[in-house]
Amino acid sequence: MKLRHIISARQFDKKTLEQIFNLTDKIKSQKYNNNHLSGKIMATLFYEPSTRTRLSFESAMLRLGGKVITTENAAEFSSAAKGETLEDTIRVVNSYCDVIVIRHFNEGASEVASRYSKVPVINAGDGKGEHPTQAILDLYTIFSRFNRADFTIAMVGDLKNGRTIHSLCPLLAHYPKVKIIFISPKALAAPKSLKEYLKQRRVHFEETENFKKVELADVIYQTRIQKERFKNTRDYQKYFGKYIIDGSILKYLRSKAVIMHPLPRVNEITQEVDSDRRAIYFEEAANGLYTRMAILAYLFDKS
Ligand code: NCD
């Protein structure tokens, strides 16, 4: 089934994912026509900070021959600051462009935007909801290291608020041999609705507070404690620094394991880890460009 908007990772079936991964391979090996999107315009509307997601989407559009219009810090510099609703902004912006990439602080905002848009809307993060294109680049990166989908992945940190986790899990659910170990403080555990979703799909997962369980994983997916989602800084400080990958943790990890992180990192992976051959988070970020080129090409492909 052809997707019109990209709002949730749950929209993706295995076939579509694999189509996007194949396209990403072609793009990476430069076997793809670069002017595919010439004449098309992307609008990026970011109401929350971003480095990688916005710049890789914009670079992807430019590399495919398209153009980009943007409002930097949409919360402050768009008409939202004057009290305009998201619905009205989308009704207007969709007549200026061919695709909208939106990041918003409210969960569900991208879905609302898609209801008012005549052009495709891509969710680049909706509060603590989802971040489906990050999950696609994460899974692509995992598959670039593991040929078979029979790995164990430890997801570490703020699993309650981390939207990249909420999107990566449904993609992993397509691969029955994948095992998930959720490692977090109890208060930051993965949402019940996500665990229900995984149970329904018979995904093998366990939950623990014990960081040492990373030694059982082939993929360690570290995340940041999502400071902006805490009402109370004292609560944030309680968890900040609880799970840190440093030189001493490296000793426990499997020799063929990979260490990933959607970035930005704060203190949860120390710099000494960067030179370890298992650290692949910068490669992961670089794949963001290629997978987003593939996602755009897929969205505009008429076939
Ligand atoms: C993530 C996000 O915005 O959810 N960043 C990203 O897009 N690479 C992760 C995070 O901010 O912690």
Side-chain angles (χ1 to χ4, degrees):
M1 190 197 59
K2 184 87 184 151
L3 299 179
R4 173 151 174 75
H5 304 285
I6 296 180
I7 306 301
S8 163
R10 299 184 191 197
Q11 293 173 276
F12 287 84
D13 58 27
K14 200 170 167 185
K15 194 166 152 241
T16 306
L17 266 183
E18 284 166 8
Q19 245 177 299
I20 290 172
F21 293 157
N22 288 336
L23 204 49
T24 306
D25 283 337
K26 271 197 206 153
I27 287 167
K28 246 186 134 169
S29 58
Q30 296 177 340
K31 289 186 193 126
Y32 193 78
N33 166 15
N34 267 349
N35 277 319
H36 209 75
L37 298 193
S38 101
K40 303 282 188 210
I41 296 176
M42 167 194 278
T44 50
L45 275 178
F46 278 61
Y47 296 81
E48 276 195 335
S50 169
T51 304
R52 277 150 292 274
T53 306
R54 185 161 71 88
L55 294 182
S56 64
F57 258 121
E58 293 184 355
S59 176
M61 191 63 181
L62 296 173
R63 283 180 191 270
L64 288 169
K67 292 193 166 60
V68 177
I69 54 173
T70 186
T71 166
E72 213 177 315
N73 186 354
E76 202 179 326
F77 297 127
S78 77
S79 289
K82 300 180 190 168
E84 184 171 58
T85 61
L86 178 63
E87 290 88 321
D88 282 1
T89 303
I90 297 297
R91 277 188 182 116
V92 173
V93 172
N94 84 85
S95 57
Y96 303 154
C97 63
D98 303 289
V99 58
I100 296 174
V101 180
I102 181 171
R103 170 170 287 185
H104 199 278
F105 41 82
N106 284 338
E107 191 171 348
S110 305
E111 197 275 319
V112 170
S114 72
R115 280 193 256 139
Y116 292 88
S117 178
K118 292 191 211 76
V119 302
V121 170
I122 302 177
N123 178 8
D126 60 326
K128 58 180 167 49
E130 281 212 42
H131 192 352
T133 65
Q134 177 71 39
I136 290 172
L137 80 89
D138 289 337
L139 190 56
Y140 177 82
T141 305
I142 295 171
F143 283 147
S144 71
R145 294 302 181 106
F146 297 91
N147 292 328
R148 285 182 315 179
D150 59 357
F151 50 83
T152 296
I153 177 168
M155 298 185 171
V156 186
D158 188 349
L159 311 181
K160 175 180 178 214
N161 300 303
R163 57 195 174 198
T164 68
I165 298 284
H166 306 163
S167 288
L168 184 53
C169 287
L171 296 192
L172 294 171
H174 292 301
Y175 302 92
K177 290 194 175 145
V178 169
K179 295 190 178 116
I180 303 175
I181 307 174
F182 289 127
I183 304 176
S184 75
K186 281 217 170 68
L188 301 184
K192 270 207 185 86
S193 58
L194 179 64
K195 289 184 282 194
E196 280 308 316
Y197 181 89
L198 296 177
K199 273 186 202 152
Q200 274 166 20
R201 279 157 188 78
R202 300 183 194 288
V203 178
H204 184 291
F205 72 89
E206 60 176 287
E207 292 184 280
T208 177
E209 290 191 78
N210 182 3
F211 194 28
K212 212 155 163 262
K213 287 261 183 162
V214 289
E215 69 186 14
L216 302 174
D218 304 297
V219 180
I220 294 94
Y221 190 92
Q222 174 69 302
T223 64
R224 173 177 73 87
I225 306 296
Q226 306 280 301
K227 184 177 185 181
E228 64 276 37
R229 313 281 174 231
F230 285 78
K231 287 196 189 84
N232 180 332
T233 44
R234 222 176 314 135
D235 281 344
Y236 168 68
Q237 270 149 8
K238 212 160 46 188
Y239 307 114
F240 180 67
K242 183 162 165 68
Y243 301 117
I244 295 180
I245 302 180
D246 59 13
S248 69
I249 297 295
L250 285 179
K251 291 191 206 113
Y252 295 114
L253 302 186
R254 290 185 168 170
S255 64
K256 294 233 166 81
V258 293
I259 305 165
M260 297 177 65
H261 191 307
L263 302 178
R265 67 172 152 182
V266 186
N267 69 339
E268 57 280 348
I269 300 180
T270 61
Q271 288 193 1
E272 68 186 314
V273 176
D274 298 355
S275 57
D276 191 281
R277 66 191 150 69
R278 293 167 290 185
I280 62 165
Y281 27 90
F282 292 116
E283 180 185 322
E284 179 186 353
N287 282 335
L289 170 67
Y290 305 113
T291 46
R292 288 181 172 121
M293 285 173 78
I295 289 165
L296 291 173
Y298 163 83
L299 272 185
F300 284 104
D301 186 11
K302 298 269 180 319
S303 60

